[in-house]
Amino acid sequence: MDYELACDQAEEIDATLDGQERLDAYRQHADALEPGEVGRSVFLEYLADHLTMSKRYDEARSVYVELIADGGDCELDPRVGLLDVELRIGHTDQADALLKELLASARADELDLADYADIGGALEEAGEFRKAHRWFTMPLRDLDPEELEFSEVPLLHGRARVRRALGLPVDAYDEVSQAITGTFAAGDDA
């Protein structure tokens, strides 16, 4: 199967089906393809995401593990989705092991900006603000805050949120975030 065709089919399922019927369709499409076959990962990724949104974390965890083993192309690194689920169900040891793997991938320049933003977001949601700050900051640290690209804005805003949660002072990146959103950090006079 062609990757783009699989994406189109998954989006069609997403747009036309709901609930368990949608989940079953993703599973059926994934099961119709051999492990590692182009497109299978697309259906598994949609399935895992929708299971997570439905708070069916144990099932989502199983699908993310399957997705990682599949090794096919994914929109985002499937370890990031698994990290989110592990944090949601309180598996801190597994989450820490995934963070180590992801850090090695970051050092090897194998992650994209969306991966960093999703890692930071999962950590923020779990109340792990210091770790979230690290992940939101890593891809920004060598950039001029006045010259950020649109794709870097979610990192900028996430970083500003966790800095406020940590009670850190406003810095140049936070000022840019505030200018974009029109908000001010707690304690600032508007």
Side-chain angles (χ1 to χ4, degrees), residues 5 24 57 90 96 104 111 114 117-118 121-122 124 131 139 149 168 170 189:
L5 177 60
D24 291 343
Y57 301 129
D96 288 342
L111 300 179
D118 285 354
E124 179 184 7
K131 291 177 183 177
E149 303 275 330
L168 297 174
V170 173
D189 293 325

Side-chain angles (χ1 to χ4, degrees), residues 76-134:
L76 297 173
D77 189 313
R79 296 173 298 171
V80 178
L82 181 57
L83 171 69
D84 181 41
V85 170
E86 297 290 20
L87 289 166
R88 289 174 186 266
I89 59 181
H91 291 171
T92 55
D93 290 344
Q94 292 89 332
D96 288 342
L98 281 166
L99 283 171
K100 286 179 185 175
E101 282 182 35
L102 289 163
L103 183 57
S105 294
R107 289 180 175 148
D109 199 28
E110 297 171 349
L111 300 179
D112 63 28
L113 294 176
D115 291 323
Y116 286 97
D118 285 354
I119 293 166
L123 290 164
E124 179 184 7
E125 182 73 26
E128 297 281 351
F129 299 122
R130 290 210 180 279
K131 291 177 183 177
H133 183 267
R134 179 182 191 193

Side-chain angles (χ1 to χ4, degrees), residues 38-73:
V38 174
R40 184 172 189 268
S41 60
V42 172
F43 298 108
L44 291 175
E45 188 172 20
Y46 270 80
L47 176 59
D49 288 347
H50 281 281
L51 286 166
T52 301
M53 287 186 281
S54 299
K55 300 182 180 182
R56 293 168 62 173
Y57 301 129
D58 289 333
E59 293 170 86
R61 183 183 189 285
S62 294
V63 176
Y64 278 120
V65 169
E66 181 182 0
L67 181 57
I68 291 166
D70 183 80
D73 287 337

